[in-house]
């Protein structure tokens, strides 16, 4: 099937095309990136139809493992870009989800329903249990719809878990991975050579990303906010095309290295850090660009250090996750934000979350207070997971926030 876009989703697709053809007309690398974005889900649907194993995957740590089996993951985050009001209506009216339910849960559940009706080839879903209660409800609903849903336990490393307690957690996580592999492939045995190759590949991507983020300190406006957001998203799932995603990274490194330093550009940019998921109200990114902001720091995809290549690849996957900001407690992300504040000389934080997510709002308030006490101002934004126009109020707040920092 090809995705049939709602009016709002079509508008946002036009926004991406505009960013590709006009805003980033100077950057073939970002143009290629946006082509990967646009084709991701439909190409995955086609691959599924032609016999490739394709799954919906909402678990970032698993991506190298999924690729190592020859399967293609389609990240939940992409559901937001293609789903609109229709998906929300399905969840609220057909599934009777309360209106205040998180928009991510409503958008994904509604979109899966609509795609099932339209004959999707992707009927397997991999999510995590105990991530949040609304999603647990969605898993049950999707099972009843006939999807093959698998959820793995969140392996949460609390602050202070070290020594033998930590090693116990590592062993538990390894067992989880074998169980997931069995669901995905029919066997608990993991192809370690293939997984090792995926880890080496991911390390190369992260090195490229580090280089890009360093070069962007000299050229903060070469890649605008929507472009860098999607580049960062791709680091998790590669848009189903790892080689092409690496080509984008290589090409962008080349572009940035070839630019002359422009002191005026550097001095005009207001360095910002984006925390939280990506918003699908693309007007937010334009508002940041227009006000002179530059997103130079991110915390959602770890890229600061490599996977260990000298140890067993399954263990490497586990230790990378448990020693990154994705390990569980908010304090790990806070530490990454703090390091990035120093690295890029951030003048402000954009704390972004989805409407209806109580977990996220508590975390954002903790970050706000912590960084406020350190003299770093922040703006707390809530938006929808599905596409839509940003409200005038949000755009005004962003503009006022960045102007205050200038
Ligand atoms: S945004 Fe919050 S409520 Fe929504 S799915 Fe994620 S954790 Fe759950």
């Amino acid at each position: 099937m090809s995705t049939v876009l709602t009016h709002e989703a079509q508008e946002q697709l036009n926004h991406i095309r505009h960013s590709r053809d006009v805003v980033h007309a100077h950057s073939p690398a970002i143009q290629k990136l946006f082509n990967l974005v646009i084709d991701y889900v439909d190409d995955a649907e086609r691959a599924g139809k032609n016999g490739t194993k394709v799954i919906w995957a909402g678990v970032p740590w698993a991506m190298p493992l999924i690729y190592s089996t020859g399967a293609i993951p389609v990240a939940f985050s992409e559901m937001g870009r293609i789903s609109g009001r229709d998906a929300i209506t399905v969840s609220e009216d057909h599934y009777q989800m309360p209106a205040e339910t998180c928009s991510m849960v409503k958008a994904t559940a509604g979109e899966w329903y609509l795609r099932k009706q339209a004959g999707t080839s992707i009927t397997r879903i991999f999510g995590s249990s105990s991530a949040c209660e609304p999603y647990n409800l969605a898993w049950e609903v999707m099972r009843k719809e006939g999807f093959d849903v698998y959820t793995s336990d969140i392996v949460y490393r609390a602050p202070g878990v070290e020594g033998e307690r930590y090693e116990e957690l590592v062993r538990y996580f390894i067992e989880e991975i074998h169980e997931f592999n069995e669901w995905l492939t029919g066997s608990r045995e993991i192809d370690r050579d293939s997984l090792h190759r995926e880890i080496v590949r991911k390390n190369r991507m992260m090195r490229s990303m580090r280089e890009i983020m360093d070069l962007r300190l000299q050229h903060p406006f070469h890649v605008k906010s929507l472009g860098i957001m999607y580049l960062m998203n791709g680091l998790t799932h590669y848009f189903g095309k790892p080689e092409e995603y690496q080509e984008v990274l290589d090409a962008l490194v080349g572009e940035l290295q070839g630019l002359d330093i422009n002191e005026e550009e550097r001095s005009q940019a207001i360095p910002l850090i984006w925390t939280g998921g990506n918003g699908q109200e693309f007007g937010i990114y334009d508002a940041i660009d227009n006000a002179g902001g530059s997103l130079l720091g991110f915390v959602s995809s770890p890229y600061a250090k490599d996977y260990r290549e000298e140890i067993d690849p399954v263990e490497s996957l586990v230790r990378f996750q448990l020693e990154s900001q994705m390990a569980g407690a908010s304090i790990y992300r806070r530490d990454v934000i703090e390091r990035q504040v120093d690295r890029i000389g951030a003048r402000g934080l954009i704390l972004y979350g989805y409407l209806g997510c109580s977990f996220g709002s508590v975390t954002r308030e903790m970050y706000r207070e912590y960084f406020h006490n350190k003299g770093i101002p922040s703006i707390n934004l809530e938006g929808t997971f599905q596409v839509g126009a940003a409200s005038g109020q949000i755009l005004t707040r962003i503009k006022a926030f960045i102007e205050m920092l200038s």
Side-chain angles (χ1 to χ4, degrees), residues 102-105 131-135 354 356-360:
C102 155
S103 65
M104 180 171 182
V105 174
C132 79
E133 207 37 47
Y135 247 137
Y354 297 128
C357 177
S358 49
F359 313 100

Side-chain angles (χ1 to χ4, degrees), residues 218-238:
Q218 310 300 327
H219 309 286
F221 294 137
H222 183 75
V223 184
K224 300 290 190 172
S225 300
L226 187 62
I228 194 64
M229 185 63 80
Y230 271 112
L231 192 76
M232 202 52 81
N233 279 0
L235 191 59
T236 301
H237 50 67
Y238 332 145

Side-chain angles (χ1 to χ4, degrees), residues 161-176:
V161 171
E162 305 287 348
E164 184 46 31
R165 277 179 71 206
Y166 175 53
E167 294 308 319
E168 219 172 276
L169 206 57
V170 169
R171 288 192 288 276
Y172 179 79
F173 200 166
I174 288 174
E175 180 58 24
E176 284 278 301

Side-chain angles (χ1 to χ4, degrees), residues 45-65:
E45 282 281 4
R46 260 189 293 280
K49 197 154 179 256
N50 292 333
T52 302
K53 197 176 286 177
V54 183
I55 63 170
W56 296 105
V59 184
W61 64 255
M63 299 298 181
L65 179 64

